[in-house]
Structures are given as structure tokens and as C-alpha cells.
Amino acid sequence: GDFIFFMLSEEDKGNEISIRYWFQCVGLNGSGIISKLEMRRFYEIQRLQISQYFEICTFEQILCVLIDLIKPASKDFFAINDFLQPENKLFSGVFFDSLFNSNKFVEFNEIKPLRYEYATQTFNDFAKVYHAALILEQEWRHQQLISEK
């Protein structure tokens, strides 16, 4: 039973039960929030695995991307309600994959590049790349909504 629950939570991180499961996994101190320190612990493990194959961004860079995706009520931490907003459920998987599942995170990274070189470009270059990534993100969200129907 536990394995089935885990597999369902792993495969669909966008439903409320899965979001609550992964939120508890990251929120180690049981405070009801996910702190940057808690996130950093998990991300560094994933970053070590990913960096063997890709040049990947720092925690601070990924944190900025995750804040942009989830749009938490506070810039200092993430609360469960931030993930349960309908517009955030699709991207809760990206958030948790960045901390737990390097393969799925890299897969998303290929859709919306988060690599270090993008953060070091001039602002105009960055804006062009980010605009293209936003378009890909919209197309990806649209395809996900279609596939859910």
C-alpha cells in the first residue's frame, strides 16, 4: 500500500494528496512551511548528481526560478497554500522534482533552460531567452491541460 501511494505521488505531483506528501518530505521541522535552508539541503544532493552531466545553476538561481513559478505569498518561505493554488499545481512537480528527482528535473530543464550560462548573459540576451522560455512554458502548460482531459 505504501509503495503504491509513493508511486502515485511520484508520478503526479500536481494533485493535492501528492503536494501534501512532498511538502511534508521537504518540511523536515514540521513548521508548516518550507524554508530556504530545507530546500538547499535537498537541492545540493540533486545538484551533485546532475552536475556530473550538466552545468547546472546554483541554489540561489534555482530558488529565483522556483519563486517565479510558484509565486509564494512570502519570498522568505513556501507554504502549503502556495502549492494548492490551481495555477501552481502544474508547477509543484517541477518544484519537488528539483529537490528529489534529478531525472525529471533535467527533463523539465530541457523545456525551460535553467542552466548557469543563461544567468550570466547580458540583460537583453537574458530577456530574449527568458521570453522564449515563457512561450515554451505556456505551450507546455497548454499541452498538459489538454492531456488531462
Side-chain angles (χ1 to χ4, degrees), residues 4 26 43 52 59-60 65-66 68 75 117 121:
I4 292 171
V26 180
Y43 180 71
Q52 295 175 25
F59 173 74
E60 288 74 19
V65 171
L66 295 175
D68 286 346
K75 298 291 183 210
E117 62 266 18
Q121 295 171 339

Side-chain angles (χ1 to χ4, degrees), residues 69-101:
L69 284 176
I70 303 297
K71 298 170 186 60
S74 169
K75 298 291 183 210
D76 297 322
F77 58 85
F78 292 84
I80 189 70
N81 288 335
D82 297 327
F83 297 95
L84 296 177
Q85 301 302 314
E87 65 274 11
N88 293 342
K89 285 185 176 182
L90 278 176
F91 287 104
S92 62
V94 175
F95 180 94
F96 294 118
D97 285 340
S98 72
L99 304 177
F100 290 107
N101 190 325

Side-chain angles (χ1 to χ4, degrees), residues 3-144:
F3 180 73
I4 292 171
F5 176 75
F6 169 76
M7 286 306 297
L8 291 173
S9 294
E10 171 61 25
E11 291 305 314
D12 180 12
K13 291 184 180 90
N15 70 67
E16 185 173 343
I17 293 170
S18 297
I19 290 170
R20 289 183 185 282
Y21 171 78
W22 290 111
F23 189 88
Q24 287 181 324
C25 290
V26 180
L28 296 175
N29 65 9
S31 65
I33 63 169
I34 296 175
S35 71
K36 294 175 185 176
L37 179 61
E38 291 167 321
M39 291 173 59
R40 181 185 296 274
R41 286 175 156 169
F42 289 100
Y43 180 71
E44 288 304 321
I45 295 167
Q46 294 303 309
R47 192 171 77 81
L48 288 173
Q49 292 176 0
I50 297 169
S51 66
Q52 295 175 25
Y53 309 102
F54 300 98
E55 185 175 350
I56 195 79
C57 56
T58 65
F59 173 74
E60 288 74 19
Q61 291 166 323
I62 193 66
L63 180 63
C64 289
V65 171
L66 295 175
I67 288 171
D68 286 346
L69 284 176
I70 303 297
K71 298 170 186 60
S74 169
K75 298 291 183 210
D76 297 322
F77 58 85
F78 292 84
I80 189 70
N81 288 335
D82 297 327
F83 297 95
L84 296 177
Q85 301 302 314
E87 65 274 11
N88 293 342
K89 285 185 176 182
L90 278 176
F91 287 104
S92 62
V94 175
F95 180 94
F96 294 118
D97 285 340
S98 72
L99 304 177
F100 290 107
N101 190 325
S102 56
N103 290 333
K104 286 187 178 181
F105 179 64
V106 167
E107 183 180 306
F108 178 79
N109 190 24
E110 291 172 359
I111 296 170
K112 181 179 177 150
L114 307 174
R115 293 185 181 93
Y116 176 76
E117 62 266 18
Y118 291 109
T120 60
Q121 295 171 339
T122 65
F123 178 76
N124 288 337
D125 291 339
F126 170 78
K128 289 176 188 174
V129 169
Y130 197 73
H131 181 262
L134 287 174
I135 291 171
L136 285 173
E137 179 181 306
Q138 283 181 314
E139 291 172 1
W140 185 78
R141 281 185 184 205
H142 180 72
Q143 188 159 2
Q144 290 296 324

